[in-house]
Amino acid sequence: MLKVGLTGGIASGKSFVGEALAGYGCLLVHADELGHAVLAAGGEAYEPVVQEFGREILTSEGAIDRRALAARVFGDPVRLARLNALVHPAVFRREDDLIAAFGAQHPDGIAVVEAAILIETGSYSRFDKLILVTCTEEQQVERALRREGAQECDIRARIRRQMPLAEKRKYADFVIDTSGEKEDTLRQTRAVYDALRRIQS
């Protein structure tokens, strides 16, 4: 059972690469989706986060407003670290449960966890191998602007808060450049999958 982290900046093409790897038979776990789940009403992190950051972060329906929560921690490393300490352990437990269940069925399988800040949080060390997905900053902005409600100033601020790609490369076992055509990205992804399969065998 090989555990692989998949990371990259905002709108760098992580999801596209992840779906391609899933198509080859890898388990694909979206850390962001697990983050949504643990923050949902009844989720493991819901009550601790509301207690920490106040009921002002709740919508009229009682759900955590992720934008309001993000505004509370924006630019405040101490509060961000506190939020991560409340959310990440629950996400990691869910990841581990999914991977263990997959491994029981596929002992020689490859589990891929897609997450934006694996390196920044140090959680990359939980994986056997790390894939970094890259493209130019202008491509990141262009792609992210296609998302509903996206604002260029917000996107560039998020990019600035993330570790520079040149720094992230030092941690990566494999780098996939998505700045070209999709066919080229798929070719690179297949080559990485084949390399992972050789490691696993």
Side-chain angles (χ1 to χ4, degrees):
M1 183 69 196
L2 197 66
K3 292 171 60 177
V4 179
L6 174 64
T7 194
I10 178 176
S12 59
K14 294 185 302 298
S15 296
F16 182 75
V17 170
E19 293 300 334
L21 290 169
Y24 298 137
C26 299
L27 170 69
L28 178 62
V29 178
H30 298 280
D32 194 47
E33 291 179 5
L34 298 184
H36 281 267
V38 302
L39 284 171
E44 306 93 305
Y46 177 87
E47 287 296 341
V49 168
V50 172
Q51 287 178 14
E52 177 74 23
F53 294 96
R55 303 195 68 81
E56 297 82 7
I57 64 169
L58 298 178
T59 66
S60 56
E61 291 81 30
I64 290 176
D65 182 334
R66 289 169 65 88
R67 290 193 176 212
L69 179 58
R72 291 289 177 103
V73 302
F74 180 80
D76 187 334
V78 173
R79 299 197 88 182
L80 178 59
R82 182 63 186 144
L83 175 62
N84 288 342
L86 295 173
V87 173
H88 286 172
V91 170
F92 293 163
R93 283 194 295 272
R94 290 195 181 211
E95 283 177 11
D96 290 342
D97 288 347
L98 290 169
I99 291 169
F102 179 74
Q105 296 290 322
H106 307 278
D108 61 345
I110 298 172
V112 178
V113 175
E114 177 200 327
I117 53 173
L118 282 181
I119 297 171
E120 289 89 336
T121 60
S123 55
Y124 71 93
S125 61
R126 301 173 65 239
F127 301 96
D128 302 308
K129 296 295 176 184
L130 184 66
I131 302 169
L132 174 65
V133 179
T134 72
C135 64
T136 68
E137 182 174 321
E138 290 311 310
Q139 283 174 311
Q140 285 181 271
V141 173
E142 178 190 336
R143 293 169 181 174
L145 281 172
R146 298 175 195 154
R147 299 173 183 174
E148 186 178 349
Q151 301 285 332
E152 183 170 347
C153 58
D154 294 338
I155 296 163
R156 291 193 184 277
R158 282 186 63 183
I159 291 172
R160 283 195 297 274
R161 289 202 307 276
Q162 293 180 342
M163 183 185 291
L165 285 176
E167 190 69 20
K168 287 187 175 186
R169 283 176 181 269
K170 299 174 184 177
Y171 296 84
D173 298 288
F174 304 97
V175 177
I176 296 176
D177 184 348
T178 67
S179 58
E181 298 295 325
K182 286 187 175 182
E183 291 74 15
D184 184 49
T185 297
L186 290 172
R187 180 189 58 75
Q188 295 176 68
T189 304
R190 179 69 207 202
V192 169
Y193 171 77
D194 290 342
L196 292 171
R197 182 51 67 200
R198 287 193 295 274
I199 293 167
Q200 180 62 346
S201 60

